[in-house]
Amino acid sequence: MLFHPTPPPYAELHCLSSFSFLRGASQPDELVGCAHALGYVALAITDECSVAGAVRAHLAAKQCGLNLIIGSEFTLSAPPAALAPPPSKLVLLATDREGYGNLAELITACRRRSPKGSYAFSLEDVAAGVPGCLALLAPGAEMPQAEAAVLAENFRGRMWMLLELQAGPDDRSRATEVRDCAARHGLPLAAAGDVRMHSRARRALADTLAAIRLGTRVAEAGFALAPNGERHLRRREQLARIFPPEALAQTLAVAGL
């Protein structure tokens, strides 16, 4: 009989719900229920420039007893073209009522300066560090060296670099690049899933939503679609095989557990 060690505790820190229009493929309550079933110690709902899913997530988390973190994701550059390399993202997590209020105020400001359905965010918006919020930097295709330097100063002692791996062919080199970038700016490294759905079974829906967002058919979307179905809430045993132990442990530090 094979010995299976106890899977490590884990908190998912970067997760989009259906309230991220045409990006998230699961409802907030589905994500909360799945995270609880998988034994996660906490889940952060981080919809793009929005906290609209917070109420549904809160009700579901209260019912099952999961630690819920409310946050939001912001793109650090202009919206990319269909086949452009993915941009870096800033994820802000509220730690208390003040932080939630400041996050909501930031979202409102970003939305009000743009046409309905879009938003405009810049590093100047977080020059004061957004009191009551933690910052997580999720690198895009290119390492955000300049942005990391500015954000590390703005969120001194309250910032992490996210290592997000989805079983790609370059995961090993990607992990090295992200680790080197984090070390260069004195940032601890935390694991995250860049989650878009609670179950792999939602991949067909996720692809359909992406095609609608891009104004094309699924069969014609090609490389604009995710290469696999790994952006779902994964079992902790699987995460332990993908991420270094210290990156998994840092998810608890971010969650305050």
Side-chain angles (χ1 to χ4, degrees):
M1 179 181 297
L2 295 176
F3 174 69
H4 296 282
T6 302
Y10 177 70
E12 179 54 62
L13 304 173
H14 189 191
C15 179
L16 304 186
S17 78
S18 56
F19 284 86
S20 290
F21 187 56
L22 297 181
R23 291 184 66 203
S26 292
Q27 298 287 342
D29 52 313
E30 292 178 313
L31 292 160
V32 169
C34 184
H36 179 258
L38 291 170
Y40 288 15
V41 298
L43 173 70
I45 297 294
T46 58
D47 284 310
E48 185 175 13
C49 196
S50 174
V51 290
V55 173
R56 291 191 186 183
H58 171 72
L59 293 175
K62 186 176 181 180
Q63 185 175 11
C64 70
L66 180 71
N67 292 303
L68 178 67
I69 305 169
I70 300 300
S72 190
E73 172 201 275
F74 302 86
T75 299
L76 290 180
S77 60
L83 294 179
S88 297
K89 307 289 181 104
L90 175 66
V91 177
L92 297 178
L93 304 179
T95 61
D96 52 26
R97 181 174 295 184
E98 178 192 15
Y100 182 84
N102 290 333
L103 178 61
E105 184 176 344
L106 171 62
I107 290 169
T108 300
C110 292
R111 291 287 184 183
R112 290 184 65 180
R113 67 171 69 114
S114 294
K116 186 175 181 179
S118 61
Y119 69 98
F121 171 83
S122 73
L123 292 181
E124 294 180 359
D125 292 316
V126 294
V130 191
C133 288
L134 305 178
L136 313 174
L137 181 57
E142 298 182 1
M143 291 299 104
Q145 302 289 0
E147 294 89 343
V150 173
L151 291 167
E153 180 65 26
N154 294 348
F155 290 90
R156 187 174 300 179
R158 296 183 290 125
M159 182 174 169
W160 283 257
M161 184 80 74
L162 292 182
L163 176 60
E164 300 182 323
L165 303 175
Q166 283 92 26
D170 60 344
D171 273 3
R172 181 171 296 182
S173 60
R174 174 68 175 179
T176 299
E177 289 179 346
V178 175
R179 185 183 292 109
D180 290 347
C181 183
R184 177 176 179 178
H185 299 285
L187 299 173
L189 195 67
D194 191 14
V195 172
R196 311 292 174 85
M197 49 197 167
H198 75 288
S199 167
R200 184 191 294 272
R202 289 290 171 87
R203 185 186 176 185
L205 174 59
D207 286 349
T208 301
L209 294 174
I212 295 172
R213 187 177 73 249
L214 297 168
T216 187
R217 298 179 180 180
V218 172
E220 298 170 352
F223 290 110
L225 301 180
N228 56 40
E230 289 298 301
R231 283 183 169 85
H232 66 95
L233 294 173
R234 292 173 283 187
R235 293 181 297 108
R236 290 180 293 139
E237 296 89 343
Q238 183 180 4
L239 296 172
R241 294 193 295 268
I242 297 172
F243 294 101
E246 59 273 17
L248 295 172
Q250 281 295 324
T251 67
L252 307 186
V254 176
L257 300 171

